[in-house]
Amino acid sequence: TKSYDEEGNVVPAVLDFQASAKGGLNGWNEYLSKNLVYLISSRKKGEEGTVYLMFVVTDIGEISEVYCLNEETCYPDLVKEAKRVVREYPYRFTPQTFNGKTEESIFRIPIRFKLSD
């Protein structure tokens, strides 16, 4: 996307605000820690790993299109749980604004499942 000034000259595009969850990064991490469930069946099997998710935050702050980027190397139950907790986020994000207009953005996040020793 190109932006122009009053005289028709191309001006650099400006990211005004990156999308953020309610309460910012701390709020997002708090939500994940309170709502992510390490299934008993996965614990008993010793399933561990990091699930890398990608999702879209729409121009109105809703989460859509949740994908696992490493599904072929993760345990299916861990992938399912990671997707569930992201899809069920109860708040809207504050959407990204670019040159004064809200737009969708893409997030990539790791969700780590690790059994304690």
Side-chain angles (χ1 to χ4, degrees):
T1 304
K2 291 185 179 180
S3 298
Y4 302 90
D5 64 15
E6 297 81 24
E7 298 169 359
N9 300 313
V10 176
V11 294
V14 177
L15 177 62
D16 303 312
F17 183 81
Q18 185 174 358
S20 67
K22 181 179 180 182
L25 185 56
N26 288 339
W28 176 250
N29 288 334
E30 182 178 330
Y31 165 75
L32 290 176
S33 68
K34 287 183 179 178
N35 294 279
L36 192 67
V37 177
Y38 207 142
L39 301 173
I40 293 172
S41 60
S42 292
R43 288 175 186 246
K44 285 182 179 179
K45 294 177 200 173
E47 296 176 347
E48 295 183 317
T50 302
V51 177
Y52 292 94
L53 295 182
M54 181 183 82
F55 60 92
V56 173
V57 173
T58 68
D59 62 346
I60 60 170
E62 293 176 342
I63 293 174
S64 69
E65 303 178 44
V66 180
Y67 299 104
C68 179
L69 299 173
N70 63 331
E71 195 158 357
E72 64 283 345
T73 62
C74 292
Y75 294 101
D77 286 342
L78 301 183
V79 172
K80 184 177 178 181
E81 176 57 15
K83 286 180 175 180
R84 180 201 66 79
V85 77
V86 169
R87 284 187 181 122
E88 292 182 1
Y89 184 64
Y91 308 105
R92 287 189 179 189
F93 274 60
T94 302
Q96 175 173 295
T97 57
F98 192 73
N99 287 334
K101 296 180 184 177
T102 59
E103 65 177 23
E104 70 178 31
S105 56
I106 296 174
F107 272 74
R108 289 176 186 87
I109 62 163
I111 296 182
R112 186 173 183 208
F113 292 87
K114 173 105 172 98
L115 295 168
S116 55
D117 296 327

